[in-house]
């Protein structure tokens, strides 16, 4: 059910570029947050963010000491980077908790999309995470959605990357991520803070690093591309006990 919902959300929002170009319209400018909101009202309709624009931090891509560069900046790759209706190669490193054993494990996920001589596409998946393994290959027209690629355990990392993008946009009132954007709110569990801290680059894709904490403990980290940028190239989620649940990191991307 969760995977099916993620696929539907991706299709409805254009996030993920599963079958089209995912263009979001002409008004592609960055939406600035209105006024600072350090209060803790916790109302669902309160999507105001605090955009404290620090010019010094944003100069030079705003990269801090903790930034990890995993590709050449300014590579000119298109915003809608995860598009399986076009030839391309996508490789992710995985880490996190094995659902059955509870142990920390690592893994790898590769989507390899190649054009055939007759104009169709062959889409291959190679997934391993701890003891889990899955391989699949399908061939068909470029404009057809290949369900077998997604309704399996290998789609969980992609659903996580889509999910963090959607959660940020909903929580922050569809304000594109800008370094300094911050929102604090009260929840049943405690005080939640979501903040855009710096710019990072993963496999040549620049993104805005977002950290969410609950009473000071990290619950989620991600690197968001924005409302038109497709899914995030990085995400990490944590359990209530602070253990790494799942980390997904783009390490190689090539548009063929």
């Amino acid at each position: 059910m969760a995977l099916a919902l993620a696929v539907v959300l991706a299709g409805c929002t254009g996030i993920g570029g599963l079958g089209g170009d995912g263009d979001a319209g002409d008004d592609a400018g960055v939406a600035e947050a209105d006024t600072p909101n350090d209060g803790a009202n916790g109302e669902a309709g309160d999507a105001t963010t605090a955009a404290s624009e620090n010019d010094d931090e944003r100069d030079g891509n705003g990269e801090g000491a903790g930034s990890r560069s995993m590709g050449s900046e300014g590579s000119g790759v298109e915003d809608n980077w995860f598009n399986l209706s076009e030839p391309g190669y996508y490789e992710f490193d995985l880490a996190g908790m094995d659902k059955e054993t509870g142990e920390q494990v690592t893994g790898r996920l590769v989507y390899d999309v190649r054009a055939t001589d007759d104009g169709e596409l062959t889409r291959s998946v190679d997934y391993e995470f701890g003891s889990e393994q899955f391989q699949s290959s399908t061939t068909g027209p470029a404009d057809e959605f290949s369900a077998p690629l997604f309704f399996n355990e290998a789609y969980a990392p992609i659903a996580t990357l889509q999910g963090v993008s959607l959660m940020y946009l909903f929580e922050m009132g569809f304000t594109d991520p800008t370094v300094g954007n911050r929102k604090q709110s009260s929840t049943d569990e405690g005080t939640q803070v979501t903040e855009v801290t710096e710019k990072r680059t993963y496999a040549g894709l620049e993104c805005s690093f977002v950290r969410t904490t609950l009473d000071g403990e990290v619950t989620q980290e991600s690197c968001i591309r924005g409302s038109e940028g497709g899914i995030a190239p990085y995400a990490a989620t944590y359990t209530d006990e602070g253990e790494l649940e799942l980390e997904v990191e783009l390490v190689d991307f090539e548009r063929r």
Side-chain angles (χ1 to χ4, degrees), residues 62-83:
E63 292 187 0
S67 176
R68 292 179 291 175
S69 178
M70 305 198 66
S72 58
E73 292 198 31
S75 59
V77 295
E78 62 271 37
D79 281 342
N80 186 28
W81 64 274
F82 189 74
N83 189 341

Side-chain angles (χ1 to χ4, degrees), residues 39-233:
N41 50 30
E43 295 179 6
D46 180 11
T48 304
T49 65
S52 58
E53 296 186 0
N54 186 323
D55 293 336
D56 292 336
E57 187 176 15
R58 293 178 64 184
D59 286 343
N61 290 332
E63 292 187 0
S67 176
R68 292 179 291 175
S69 178
M70 305 198 66
S72 58
E73 292 198 31
S75 59
V77 295
E78 62 271 37
D79 281 342
N80 186 28
W81 64 274
F82 189 74
N83 189 341
L84 299 187
S85 65
E86 298 179 2
Y89 178 85
Y90 313 85
E91 181 177 345
F92 303 89
D93 278 350
L94 309 176
M97 184 178 296
D98 186 288
K99 294 180 179 179
E100 294 185 0
T101 66
E103 298 178 350
Q104 290 291 313
V105 296
T106 58
R108 175 175 173 266
L109 171 62
V110 172
Y111 284 86
D112 192 356
V113 184
R114 298 177 180 270
T116 65
D117 293 338
D118 56 1
E120 296 188 327
L121 291 179
T122 296
R123 303 172 178 91
S124 300
V125 183
D126 188 357
Y127 167 82
E128 58 179 88
F129 185 64
S131 59
E132 293 183 354
Q133 290 188 342
F134 177 83
Q135 288 82 35
S136 174
S137 182
T138 61
T139 299
D143 58 353
E144 287 187 4
F145 179 74
S146 300
L149 290 178
F150 300 101
F151 289 96
N152 55 71
E153 60 270 38
Y155 186 59
I158 302 301
T160 298
L161 296 177
Q162 290 174 322
V164 295
S165 296
L166 288 170
M167 287 176 62
Y168 173 87
L169 293 171
F170 276 114
E171 181 179 357
M172 305 298 269
F174 290 89
T175 298
D176 276 342
T178 301
V179 173
N181 277 9
R182 183 179 188 274
K183 182 178 179 180
Q184 176 176 309
S185 58
S186 291
T187 70
D188 293 339
E189 292 79 20
T191 299
Q192 178 174 292
V193 176
T194 298
E195 184 172 13
V196 183
T197 62
E198 63 181 344
K199 292 288 187 180
R200 288 189 180 183
T201 303
Y202 292 91
L205 295 175
E206 186 180 272
C207 52
S208 299
F209 191 75
V210 181
R211 178 175 287 110
T212 299
T213 61
L214 184 65
D215 288 341
E217 296 293 328
V218 178
T219 60
Q220 179 175 288
E221 293 177 314
S222 57
C223 210
I224 306 299
R225 294 275 291 158
S227 59
E228 295 184 25
I231 67 175

Side-chain angles (χ1 to χ4, degrees), residues 26-47:
D26 295 332
D27 51 344
V30 174
E32 295 296 336
D34 295 327
T35 57
N37 176 24
D38 289 332
N41 50 30
E43 295 179 6
D46 180 11

